[in-house]
Amino acid sequence: QVQLAESGGGLVQAGGSLRLSCAASGLASSSYPMGWFRQAPGKEREFVATITWSDSTYYADSVKGRFTISRDNAKNTVYLQMNSLESLDTAVYYCAASRFPFDSRYRIEADDYDYWGQGTQVTVSS
């Protein structure tokens, strides 16, 4: 049974930083595409970042240069380092995993993912 558990959310002032973690169990996250999405109140879930099994990364334009996705294979954990946070970054952030291993394509649609975490709230105050 695959489980993804996000942590690290919280309240931060604009310009600050947070690091989100996604601990995976039931699959070796190093072999699967992993992604981060977010959903703000009243809005649809949107793509934030993805990392392939070969550690290639791809970002939404809105976070490029500010956010960094990475993984620690020994801990089976994927991270999202968020710097220079803005009020528009306020959302619930979700970690996701695809069930197709060794896929080098950038998966940027929610439908590309099969497993989801419960989400962690990030609130940026201006």
Side-chain angles (χ1 to χ4, degrees):
Q1 182 180 359
V2 177
Q3 290 188 324
L4 303 175
E6 302 99 334
S7 61
L11 174 64
V12 64
Q13 288 189 330
S17 298
L18 282 175
R19 188 178 79 158
L20 305 183
S21 299
C22 172
S25 60
L27 90 171
S29 61
S30 60
S31 299
Y32 295 82
M34 302 289 294
W36 286 95
F37 286 73
R38 66 186 182 186
Q39 188 167 17
K43 295 189 176 182
E44 293 187 353
R45 190 169 297 190
E46 66 173 0
F47 166 76
V48 175
T50 185
I51 185 167
T52 69
W53 74 276
S54 57
D55 289 344
S56 294
T57 59
Y58 185 80
Y59 300 91
D61 287 343
S62 59
V63 307
K64 200 173 297 182
R66 300 188 299 123
F67 291 10
T68 302
I69 187 171
S70 63
R71 56 160 47 109
D72 184 332
N73 294 336
K75 295 182 179 180
N76 210 23
T77 298
V78 176
Y79 302 99
L80 185 68
Q81 177 68 44
M82 305 186 296
N83 299 329
S84 303
L85 283 162
E86 306 167 353
S87 58
L88 288 177
D89 296 318
T90 295
V92 177
Y93 283 72
Y94 297 90
C95 175
S98 164
R99 61 188 175 94
F100 296 105
F102 309 116
D103 186 347
S104 296
R105 294 173 295 174
Y106 292 134
R107 294 180 170 264
I108 65 173
E109 301 293 337
D111 288 345
D112 289 336
Y113 293 88
D114 304 284
Y115 309 106
W116 293 84
Q118 81 287 352
T120 185
Q121 176 70 48
V122 172
T123 303
V124 183
S125 63
S126 57

